[in-house]
Amino acid sequence: MKMSTLLLSLILAWTLSSQVFAQPHTLVAPILQHIGTNTTLYSITLNGGEHYIIDLDAPFTWCQCQSPQPVVGCNSGACAVARSYIPPSCPVNNTFTDSQCYCNDAPVNPITKSCAPSQSTYKDIVLYWTDGRSMVGAVDFNRLYVSCAPPSLLQSLPEEVIGVGALSWSSLALLSEFTDLVGQLVTKKFALCLPGSSEARGVTFFGDGPYYLDPSTDLDAAKVLTYTPLQRDPTSLGYFINLTGISINGKAMNVPQNGFNVNQSVKLSTIVPYTKLKSNIYKTFIRDFKKAAKGIVQVANVDPFRLCFNTSTMGSSIDRLLIPQVDLMLGNGEKWTIYGSNSIKQVNDNVGCLAFIDGGETAEQAVVIGTYQIEDNLLQFDLDQSRLGFSSSLLPNGTTCGSFNFTD
């Protein structure tokens, strides 16, 4: 009997210790919202206080560096990849010193689209492991490839930002660099949850869930994701999904013939503040939304929007009653629902505007999904399976992107 009790105690102790000391497989970092005069941007925080604008298109991370920095040899694989993305408008040669060749590249400012010759270097970055609920320990990533950009390239970016964090398909993007260093501990997935306020901290996860965004609830946001295939464009490092139509309050829009078709790829952006629709689609969208919102009092437009309402006539909650529901109909039969909190932008005390804008008649993409439409939504980019997981608004689930426990 004593032997059985002892054996049971040992098994229980081993089980508890394995749970307590299990190796985490997800990394976590905060996201900040930066509200500017003309746009709203989002940054990922690394090294405990360095802010990098999140860019889903950037080929590599770049920042303003303190001199001197380690140099990257011209024969390195990283140099070859970085130089393959040098824009034609910004030719740059490598540096030769004492018979040695050192790598130079040309990062691009995602707002101004300007570029600058820059020195390639390696940087140490500190991130944190998470069990999905809070931070459980730091991890040092040594010698990550970044570009040391001149201060002039930071023009138009928020004052507290030191550069741009790449979260694209590129092999030099942050996710790829992290997974290269920790191997199979972290899967090739990252999740973004952009905060709906500059006073809250959103969250980035690198790796699988669970994603417990709010410590006061037991909701694993990974369980509410719907999936659709990710598509790639040979001319871009960004992320695209297939859109077959748009419906408003369940009624399909009559999209113009030269709008989008079943093969249309729609781009996801962390730089564009409001979803852009090609002009012919936008006009139809405005018309149909106006019809569906006939119970709401329309008021004078506020730039850059073309349909504004008296918010006191919308009802007591921005996500119910009179505000029409917008559904993006996806190629695999799923739909991405955009509720009022992500479709109506409050511009003053009494006025809210439809937060979609005209992308122009010659827009490269028929639709670019902007950041306002993905605030307080969880998006998971699964690069291994080439799929996007999306939650739609988290508000009906009783949580937001701004509640994760970042206490170490």
Side-chain angles (χ1 to χ4, degrees), residues 28 74 78 82-83 136 140 159 236 247 254 312 351 376 393 406-407:
V28 67
C74 298
R83 288 187 60 80
V136 295
D140 295 326
E159 183 178 353
S236 171
S247 71
N254 184 16
S312 67
V351 176
D376 287 321
S393 175
F406 280 106
T407 303

Side-chain angles (χ1 to χ4, degrees), residues 275-280 282 356-366 368:
T275 293
K276 289 183 177 182
L277 304 175
K278 201 171 183 177
S279 290
N280 53 356
Y282 183 75
F356 294 72
I357 61 175
D358 190 340
E361 296 181 357
T362 60
E364 187 176 351
Q365 278 87 31
V368 178

Side-chain angles (χ1 to χ4, degrees), residues 37-263:
T37 304
N38 299 316
T39 192
T40 299
L41 296 171
Y42 301 83
S43 67
I44 181 173
T45 303
L46 304 174
N47 283 344
E50 295 178 351
H51 308 301
Y52 299 77
I53 293 299
I54 298 170
D55 189 352
L56 299 180
D57 290 282
F60 48 78
T61 296
W62 60 266
C63 61
Q64 186 175 1
C65 301
Q66 302 296 322
S67 296
Q69 293 294 322
V71 293
V72 176
C74 298
N75 293 327
S76 71
C79 180
V81 173
R83 288 187 60 80
S84 71
Y85 297 114
I86 292 177
S89 60
C90 202
V92 55
N93 296 319
N94 287 325
T95 299
F96 292 87
T97 304
D98 297 329
S99 301
Q100 297 294 318
C101 180
Y102 301 126
C103 188
N104 292 322
D105 51 36
V108 176
N109 181 310
I111 304 301
T112 63
K113 306 303 180 185
S114 60
C115 56
S118 304
Q119 176 191 325
S120 306
T121 189
Y122 294 110
K123 184 178 177 69
D124 296 341
I125 287 178
V126 177
L127 257 170
Y128 288 87
W129 292 111
T130 179
D131 58 3
R133 295 181 181 274
S134 61
M135 300 189 298
V136 295
V139 56
D140 295 326
F141 290 96
N142 298 320
R143 294 177 64 81
L144 268 66
Y145 182 95
V146 301
S147 176
C148 284
S152 60
L153 203 60
L154 292 168
Q155 183 181 355
S156 79
L157 297 183
E159 183 178 353
E160 59 271 30
V161 164
I162 69 165
V164 166
L167 285 177
S168 65
W169 285 101
S170 170
S171 61
L172 295 180
L174 290 172
L175 175 64
S176 292
E177 295 210 86
F178 295 152
T179 55
D180 285 348
L181 289 173
V182 298
Q184 296 181 351
L185 280 177
V186 175
T187 58
K188 260 198 161 176
K189 301 177 184 177
F190 70 93
L192 293 178
C193 210
L194 303 185
S197 164
S198 59
E199 298 177 359
R201 286 193 293 181
V203 58
T204 312
F205 297 101
F206 296 95
D208 277 317
Y211 308 136
Y212 291 99
L213 300 174
D214 188 339
S216 67
T217 71
D218 202 37
L219 174 69
D220 175 8
K223 300 290 179 62
V224 301
L225 296 176
T226 301
Y227 295 92
T228 195
L230 278 172
Q231 297 182 334
R232 298 192 67 169
D233 184 321
T235 65
S236 171
L237 289 169
Y239 301 95
F240 298 79
I241 56 176
N242 182 235
L243 181 68
T244 60
I246 301 173
S247 71
I248 300 175
N249 273 356
K251 185 177 180 180
M253 273 177 50
N254 184 16
V255 179
Q257 186 175 2
N258 60 340
F260 55 79
N261 53 48
V262 294
N263 296 315

Side-chain angles (χ1 to χ4, degrees), residues 326-348:
V326 176
D327 290 315
L328 304 181
M329 314 308 294
L330 304 176
N332 65 336
E334 301 291 353
K335 65 180 180 180
W336 181 342
T337 299
I338 300 175
Y339 298 101
S341 58
N342 293 112
S343 65
I344 300 296
K345 171 74 172 179
Q346 194 82 27
V347 296
N348 60 43

